[in-house]
Amino acid sequence: SEPAPVICIDGPTASGKGTIAAIVAERLGYHLLDSGSLYRITGLAASRAGIELTEANAQAIADLVSSKVITFLPDQQVLLDGDDISLDIRTEQAGMNASQVATFPAVRQALLQVQRNFCRLPGLVGDGRDMGTTIFPDAPLKVYLTASVQCRAERRYKQLISKGLSANMADLIADLEARDARDINRAASPLKPAQDALHWDNSDSTIDEAVQQVLTWWEQRQPFAPVA
Ligand code: CDP
Ligand code: CDP
């Protein structure tokens, strides 16, 4: 990593982090880190290798993901050792598996430097659960995005259907609440707003409004303090 300005966008599942982070990065010409995809890839790689996602296997899972070649291409395309796994990591099952492996400190440790290496000039927008609390604690702008459970479930439903993936509202709400609870209550880097985060409730705002708010906050941060 090199000293560069970082914007952190953290929040629970389907709060709009990924969408807003990607647009903000594009507008500013910054790099983008979709940290959740790394946990999704880790869960998928372990499942495919036949490794059960248990604490006893945490180190084996961390070693496995460290040995893999992960390639991020434009348009959210992701390759695992050359295989296109872009859609496989977007199912709700993959999200649940991700939140399981994300509780293992060995896995979080293995992914720490990988994430910091995304910090490059002219700047980075990091999307995740612990960008502001753990990965980039010195970031000059930390945004904590939220939205109501109902709103997040409806948005995730539409998103899954539009990708041709299956979805059911009752299951989605249950999964979302289970994943929130696991992310908030785990010991290792739990989901919580950084002390210096600015909060934005995305329930009644459009994507454009949220993007505009983040860009306005960013302008107010000038001159940007670089993060090493
Ligand atoms: O990355 P995260 O799981 O937080 O959420 P996302 O995938 O960016 O957003 C979930 C869905 O909500 C996407 O389809 C967004 O387009 C949609 N969304 C929306 O319609 N209005 C917003 N203000 C924010 C997100
Ligand atoms: O898009 P959504 O918020 O549903 O999921 P994601 O951002 O792709 O993250 C999937 C799972 O990975 C989350 O439920 C977290 O358990 C975990 N995760 C994490 O622990 N730390 C991060 N920085 C990002 C994701």
Side-chain angles (χ1 to χ4, degrees), residues 13 17 35 40 99 102 108 129-130 156 179 183 186:
T13 180
K17 311 177 293 297
S35 64
R40 289 171 180 268
S99 85
R108 304 200 73 85
R129 304 270 183 312
D130 65 342
R156 180 53 44 92
R179 199 131 68 83
D183 289 347
R186 70 177 176 228

Side-chain angles (χ1 to χ4, degrees), residues 6 9 21 31 33 41 44 48 61-62 68 74 81 92 125 144 157 162 174 225:
V6 176
I9 303 189
H31 300 281
L33 165 59
I41 291 164
L44 187 82
R48 288 195 175 170
I61 295 169
K68 295 287 180 190
D81 284 345
E92 272 309 294
V125 183
Y144 193 80
Y157 180 86
S162 77

Side-chain angles (χ1 to χ4, degrees), residues 11-20 127 129 152 155-156 159 202 205-207 210:
T13 180
S15 55
K17 311 177 293 297
T19 306
I20 287 150
D127 143 24
R129 304 270 183 312
R152 291 189 280 133
R155 286 174 176 171
R156 180 53 44 92
Q159 191 182 29
N202 214 6
S205 67
T206 64
I207 292 167

